[in-house]
Amino acid sequence: MYYWSDYQCPFCQKFEQNTFPKLLEDYVKPGKVRIVVLDKPYIGQASETAARMAKCVWRTVRDENPDAFRRWHSSMFDEQGKENSGWAQRSNLLEITDNVRGVDATAVESCMKQNRDAVIASIDADVKASEKNGLRGTPAFIIFDRESTKAGKIVGAQPYSLFKKGLSEDQ
């Protein structure tokens, strides 16, 4: 399942808090589904900052502690403020990052400086992939079954039951 989000999106926060934990428990932990988190920052400049930080958090934890990204990702939505209110400023995001077990905020900040162009290119690729699939807002999902090559879309902070139905049809 491909999942596009914006860290300032209140509907993404709703999905994260209400539906995502159940999907992780019922589908990801047993190994039935793999979720790829992609960025679609469109709400404001702070969305871009948060997306760049997300890419760098992933770069710093993916090899040794990939679960730390999930904790960081969840923390961003737990700490989310109103859109474009300033909560997603770099300094505040780094402060939140510093409190996430397994994530080195100094390494993330260094990544943001040293890998700026590659990180921006990665975000641009995520956005282009969403556009190619006709996805305008967030949260947005493509559920893809590798065996049958069937795919389906879910858009918005939909209830768990809709994801369950979509995942059952694709498996």
Side-chain angles (χ1 to χ4, degrees):
M1 182 168 80
Y2 297 93
Y3 163 33
W4 284 268
S5 70
D6 182 319
Y7 289 98
Q8 291 201 95
C9 167
F11 298 104
C12 296
Q13 181 188 48
K14 183 179 177 182
F15 166 78
E16 285 284 330
Q17 293 175 342
N18 297 327
T19 304
F20 203 41
K22 294 175 191 169
L23 291 173
L24 291 173
E25 187 65 33
D26 295 348
Y27 291 95
V28 175
K29 281 186 180 179
K32 296 175 186 175
V33 172
R34 181 173 158 238
I35 297 176
V36 178
V37 178
L38 302 164
D39 294 291
K40 186 173 175 66
Y42 70 96
I43 292 176
Q45 183 56 44
S47 297
E48 293 277 343
T49 301
R52 287 195 307 271
M53 193 167 289
K55 294 293 186 189
C56 281
V57 168
W58 178 246
R59 282 173 173 246
T60 62
V61 303
R62 67 182 170 203
D63 293 330
E64 294 179 22
N65 191 3
D67 287 341
F69 179 81
R70 174 70 196 119
R71 288 190 295 275
W72 179 88
H73 180 82
S74 180
S75 293
M76 289 298 117
F77 287 105
D78 289 345
E79 298 292 329
Q80 184 186 75
K82 292 194 185 272
E83 297 173 22
N84 298 316
S85 66
W87 80 270
Q89 296 176 50
R90 183 184 187 122
S91 60
N92 191 49
L93 295 178
L94 285 168
E95 188 176 313
I96 296 167
T97 300
D98 198 38
N99 291 312
V100 176
R101 183 175 44 90
V103 181
D104 180 346
T106 303
V108 171
E109 187 173 24
S110 178
C111 170
M112 289 179 73
K113 291 175 186 170
Q114 294 173 359
N115 299 296
R116 185 180 185 280
D117 292 344
V119 166
I120 290 171
S122 179
I123 294 166
D124 288 346
D126 289 356
V127 170
K128 285 180 181 146
S130 74
E131 291 168 351
K132 178 183 173 193
N133 285 290
L135 304 171
R136 292 190 192 128
T138 58
F141 310 85
I142 298 289
I143 299 174
F144 178 72
D145 181 357
R146 289 182 183 187
E147 290 180 23
S148 70
T149 67
K150 287 183 5 182
K153 289 184 209 179
I154 296 178
V155 178
Q158 301 297 334
Y160 173 80
S161 59
L162 186 62
F163 285 89
K164 185 176 179 180
K165 182 176 186 254
L167 290 166
S168 296
E169 289 174 359
D170 288 335
Q171 291 188 14

